[in-house]
Amino acid sequence: MYRYLGVGVFGCWGVWQELRCAFALKEIALAFRSYEDLRVFQMAEKLSELVWQIVLGWKYFEKTTMGGQLVTAADSIGANIAEGAGRGTDKENQRFIRIARGSLYELKFRLGRAISRGLIKESEITAVQSLIAEIGPSLNAYLKSFTNRIKT
């Protein structure tokens, strides 16, 4: 079963102990979710793609100045969620969730600039703003889930 050099998983010996350890491993695997399964990450990816599609239609100057900054800020949200998950500790994960939240606020700022400069259509504004409105509270809830886990 889960045997390495004659010793069961987590130092368990015997058939019953190995079965108990196997069930424990299965529970751990079920409890752990990849960052890719997180709803907040999926929304961040959707937002990133939406911003990318909007910027693709811009003229060269707008695309290379404001567009690049918008895309980078949008991409950073999901990238920081992923990096935090890969760090291995709750404290580090929290740090990167906060950075992702900062990137979300940067995107909101730059989006306001793009709107004031007439670069984004009304239909695009609504779609982007609705995703931003969902991602902010989701990031806060994700961050709070770590805070609660650390305290207990």
Side-chain angles (χ1 to χ4, degrees):
M1 191 181 267
Y2 297 98
R3 202 171 262 289
Y4 180 69
L5 296 177
V7 177
V9 178
F10 301 126
C12 298
W13 294 276
V15 175
W16 291 111
Q17 287 290 62
E18 281 190 26
L19 283 173
R20 287 173 60 192
C21 287
F23 284 120
L25 277 178
K26 189 172 185 176
E27 286 179 28
I28 290 168
L30 290 174
F32 178 76
R33 292 174 49 177
S34 168
Y35 70 89
E36 294 165 322
D37 296 332
L38 295 170
R39 186 171 170 269
V40 68
F41 177 79
Q42 293 168 359
M43 287 188 296
E45 288 297 287
K46 186 175 179 182
L47 177 62
S48 180
E49 274 306 305
L50 182 58
V51 168
W52 176 260
Q53 291 304 318
I54 291 168
V55 170
L56 276 180
W58 291 359
K59 294 178 185 171
Y60 177 79
F61 178 75
E62 290 85 354
K63 192 185 297 185
T64 58
T65 55
M66 177 62 71
Q69 293 173 341
L70 272 170
V71 168
T72 300
D75 286 349
S76 291
I77 300 165
N80 281 298
I81 293 169
E83 187 169 355
R87 290 294 176 132
T89 67
D90 286 354
K91 191 170 183 174
E92 281 288 296
N93 205 341
Q94 285 180 306
R95 180 172 161 255
F96 280 92
I97 294 166
R98 287 185 181 100
I99 294 169
R101 189 172 55 192
S103 295
L104 180 69
Y105 277 81
E106 179 185 357
L107 177 63
K108 286 170 71 172
F109 170 78
R110 296 198 184 283
L111 182 64
R113 288 294 168 118
I115 290 168
S116 69
R117 293 174 182 167
L119 297 173
I120 299 181
K121 302 172 196 157
E122 274 302 315
S123 61
E124 295 169 334
I125 293 168
T126 305
V128 171
Q129 286 178 334
S130 69
L131 273 172
I132 288 173
E134 265 190 278
I135 292 171
S138 295
L139 279 172
N140 289 335
Y142 186 39
L143 182 61
K144 190 174 182 180
S145 74
F146 285 95
T147 305
N148 291 341
R149 193 166 43 189
I150 290 171
K151 286 181 182 176
T152 56

